[in-house]
């Protein structure tokens, strides 16, 4: 019995990429999560098991990176999606319609000292301020303030070199990479600040300044570990009432892509969230006890 096949289509979902356009020292960065879907004359694949003429979903995924690289001028997500859809329809005679869905992450250029940062970004609207308070019968009050889900990214001024190499190591050494993290930080007050808001602002700006560096030059990071330590140090320098700082920083990898038929040109990256590195430490003033995470 032959049945009708009124709808069939195939595509690739959740193709994540970072695209950086470098305009001298000023970098423009977007992160996109792309779904492709194509309608094509492929009934024979479904009904007879013949794949002749099929644009594989793997090819569709590769094409996302190729087209992203071909967008040589900074472009909008709409312009990119149109270029990708047109590419599929114009390249493959059996494709009658391409449907492209793209989500753009809200990475916003940071302001440092009132100036737009050349290459530093933060994710809008994700960060939360936290506090953990204990108070006992003896009147002992402990306040541990913090923040979580502060997502930061810089498109340059980060590298990772000189680490141990053995038969299990394939990671290349680099002195220019994207560094991205979602920061969780808590700090315990030895004495209570007169204004918790001011202490929080000082703490947060200490963290940001150490991660991003000055707006026009940034600051070089040889590892997430070193940056994390400097973020904690900055916090302790600027918040005298804090005695101990805990920082957790996943290392969210953006992996350089060689688009098919082309080469990585500091432009297109696979955006990933898993697996990710995970770096954490407690930094205290000398003689102070580290505080528990929570
Ligand atoms: O800054 C980094 N620290 C690491 O410990 C590490 N490990 C790794 O694979 N890449 C990186 N980057």
């Amino acid at each position: 019995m032959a049945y009708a096949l009124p709808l069939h289509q195939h595509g690739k979902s959740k193709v994540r990429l970072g695209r950086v356009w470098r305009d001298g020292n000023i970098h423009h960065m977007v992160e996109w999560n792309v779904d492709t879907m194509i309608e094509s004359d492929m009934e024979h694949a479904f009904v007879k098991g013949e794949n002749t003429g099929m644009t594989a979903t793997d090819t569709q995924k590769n094409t996302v990176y190729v087209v992203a690289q071909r967008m040589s001028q900074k472009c909008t997500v709409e312009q990119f999606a149109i270029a990708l859809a047109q590419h599929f329809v114009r390249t493959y005679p059996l494709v009658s319609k391409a449907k492209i869905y793209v989500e753009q992450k809200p990475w916003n250029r940071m302001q440092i000292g009132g100036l737009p940062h050349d290459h530093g970004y933060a994710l809008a609207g994700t960060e939360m301020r936290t506090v953990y308070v204990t108070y006992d019968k003896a009147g002992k009050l402990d306040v541990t303030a913090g923040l979580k889900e502060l997502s930061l990214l810089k498109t340059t001024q980060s590298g990772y070199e000189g680490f141990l190499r053995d038969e299990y190591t394939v990671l290349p050494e680099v002195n220019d990479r994207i560094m991205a993290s979602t920061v969780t930080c808590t700090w315990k007050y030895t004495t209570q600040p007169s204004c918790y808001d001011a202490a929080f602002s000082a703490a947060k700006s200490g963290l940001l300044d150490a991660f991003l560096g000055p707006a026009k030059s940034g600051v070089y990071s040889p590892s997430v570990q070193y940056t994390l330590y400097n973020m904690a140090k900055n916090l302790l320098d600027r918040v005298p009432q804090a005695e101990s700082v805990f920082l957790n920083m996943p290392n969210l990898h953006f992996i350089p892509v060689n688009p098919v038929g082309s080469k990585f040109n500091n432009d297109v990256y696979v955006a990933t969230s898993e697996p990710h590195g995970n770096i954490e430490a407690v930094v205290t003033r000398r003689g102070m006890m580290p505080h528990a995470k929570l």
Side-chain angles (χ1 to χ4, degrees):
M1 176 83 133
Y3 295 99
L5 187 62
L7 179 106
H8 60 86
Q9 53 187 356
H10 66 290
K12 203 69 146 187
S13 293
K14 303 210 181 301
V15 184
R16 291 184 53 190
L17 75 138
R19 177 70 166 97
V20 177
W21 290 276
R22 296 179 181 225
D23 182 5
N25 285 337
I26 301 180
H27 295 182
H28 304 280
M29 189 273 174
V30 289
E31 183 179 341
W32 290 329
N33 198 337
V34 182
D35 292 351
T36 67
M37 188 60 88
I38 57 182
E39 290 181 16
S40 58
D41 195 357
M42 271 300 126
E43 196 167 316
H44 53 274
F46 288 85
V47 175
K48 297 188 189 156
E50 290 168 6
N51 297 334
T52 317
M54 189 189 298
T55 306
T57 67
D58 191 64
T59 305
Q60 295 180 40
K61 176 208 57 178
N62 295 341
T63 306
V64 169
Y65 298 117
V66 170
V67 172
Q69 189 174 56
R70 284 189 192 151
M71 305 306 284
S72 55
Q73 304 293 314
K74 172 167 121 40
C75 72
T76 62
V77 64
E78 290 85 357
Q79 289 167 319
F80 168 71
I82 291 166
L84 189 58
Q86 288 178 338
H87 171 90
F88 286 127
V89 172
R90 291 175 182 168
T91 306
Y92 302 107
L94 298 185
V95 171
S96 50
K97 188 169 190 173
K99 307 166 181 178
I100 307 297
Y101 176 71
V102 188
E103 291 177 349
Q104 177 169 299
K105 278 220 187 179
W107 288 113
N108 287 339
R109 189 176 295 283
M110 285 298 292
Q111 298 270 327
I112 293 284
L115 292 173
H117 199 283
D118 276 359
H119 55 256
Y121 286 79
L123 210 51
T126 56
E127 176 203 339
M128 273 184 277
R129 179 168 163 178
T130 62
V131 69
Y132 179 62
V133 168
T134 64
Y135 182 70
D136 67 16
K137 280 258 190 235
K140 185 172 178 333
L141 172 71
D142 278 334
V143 178
T144 304
L147 54 80
K148 64 185 225 183
E149 283 163 42
L150 170 63
S151 291
L152 299 176
L153 177 151
K154 55 187 195 171
T155 55
T156 188
Q157 288 285 52
S158 161
Y160 186 58
E161 299 174 280
F163 48 87
L164 180 153
R165 300 205 78 87
D166 64 10
E167 68 269 39
Y168 307 113
T169 310
V170 292
L171 186 72
E173 304 196 28
V174 287
N175 59 17
D176 192 6
R177 64 174 182 174
I178 290 181
M179 184 164 112
S181 188
T182 297
V183 178
T184 301
C185 182
T186 61
W187 55 93
K188 185 174 166 188
Y189 293 116
T190 335
T191 51
Q192 301 311 311
S194 58
C195 174
Y196 285 108
D197 280 348
F200 179 85
S201 295
K204 185 177 167 189
S205 69
L207 298 175
L208 293 176
D209 286 352
F211 185 96
L212 296 166
K216 288 292 139 207
S217 53
V219 62
Y220 185 70
S221 162
S223 65
V224 174
Q225 284 86 337
Y226 184 78
T227 295
L228 180 152
Y229 181 71
N230 277 284
M231 290 164 75
K233 245 173 66 179
N234 250 8
L235 192 154
L236 290 170
D237 286 349
R238 297 186 194 186
V239 184
Q241 302 86 353
E243 66 177 36
S244 162
V245 181
F246 165 80
L247 266 166
N248 171 269
M249 291 178 58
N251 185 12
L252 303 171
H253 305 296
F254 281 76
I255 300 162
V257 183
N258 289 314
V260 173
S262 175
K263 281 235 161 326
F264 175 65
N265 189 25
N266 286 324
D267 48 6
V268 184
Y269 301 80
V270 180
T272 68
S273 42
E274 284 144 11
H276 59 74
N278 199 19
I279 321 290
E280 60 184 26
V282 175
V283 181
T284 64
R285 296 188 193 282
R286 287 206 184 279
M288 291 294 181
M289 288 297 290
H291 69 286
K293 186 172 169 182
L294 265 191

